[in-house]
């Protein structure tokens, strides 16, 4: 099963239920070399699900002292595609390695 790292609204149970139809299982992990900024969301469906106008977005810094805490969720290939639909076009999905040594997908700013 693939892993999906969440540092924002995908950690919310309501977002998980509406996006995946279930509560995701995962473990805390850390992503190094990135910083967070905020992105204004205009997609009405994402706004409805998350209840937030501004969502965090990862930006590569290249500095390993920059760390983002989040949750590395176990998801299916189908759920990765569902997450792609939830995330607005300002995000892109890439694969990376986390502090735990596990691999997984993250959404970063385009």
């Amino acid at each position: 099963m693939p892993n999906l790292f969440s540092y924002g609204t995908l950690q919310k149970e309501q977002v998980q239920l509406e996006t995946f139809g279930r509560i995701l299982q995962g473990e805390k992990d850390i992503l190094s070399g990135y910083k967070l900024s905020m992105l204004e969301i205009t997609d009405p469906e994402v706004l409805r699900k998350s209840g937030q106008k501004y969502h965090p977005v990862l930006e590569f810094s290249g500095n390993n002292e920059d760390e983002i805490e989040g949750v590395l969720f176990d998801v299916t290939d189908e759920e990765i595609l569902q997450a792609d639909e939830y995330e607005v076009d300002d995000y892109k999905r890439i694969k990376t390695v986390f502090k735990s040594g596990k691999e997984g997908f993250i959404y970063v700013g385009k």
Side-chain angles (χ1 to χ4, degrees):
M1 287 179 83
N3 292 309
L4 178 63
F5 185 72
S6 174
Y7 52 89
T9 59
L10 282 175
Q11 292 182 45
K12 292 182 167 191
E13 286 188 2
Q14 179 68 24
V15 172
Q16 291 178 17
L17 286 171
E18 290 200 34
T19 303
F20 309 110
R22 70 180 182 103
I23 301 296
L24 301 178
Q25 300 299 312
E27 296 179 3
K28 290 186 179 197
D29 212 328
I30 295 174
L31 177 63
S32 299
Y34 286 84
K35 288 185 172 186
L36 284 180
S37 62
M38 296 305 280
L39 176 70
E40 184 176 356
I41 302 299
T42 57
D43 182 293
E45 185 64 11
V46 175
L47 288 168
R48 184 189 65 75
K49 285 182 181 180
S50 71
Q52 290 181 220
K53 185 174 183 174
Y54 293 93
H55 289 201
V57 60
L58 290 172
E59 293 181 358
F60 182 73
S61 71
N63 181 348
N64 282 335
E65 292 181 17
D66 293 332
E67 295 185 334
I68 306 299
E69 294 182 6
V71 178
L72 196 56
F73 290 113
D74 297 321
V75 294
T76 65
D77 290 332
E78 182 181 333
E79 287 170 334
I80 287 289
L81 298 177
Q82 291 168 328
D84 285 350
E85 286 188 27
Y86 170 75
E87 298 295 354
V88 296
D89 289 340
D90 296 306
Y91 292 92
K92 67 179 178 179
R93 176 170 47 94
I94 62 172
K95 192 175 232 183
T96 193
V97 177
F98 301 89
K99 204 164 190 178
S100 65
K102 293 180 181 178
E103 283 190 352
F105 291 107
I106 59 173
Y107 288 96
V108 298
K110 285 188 175 175

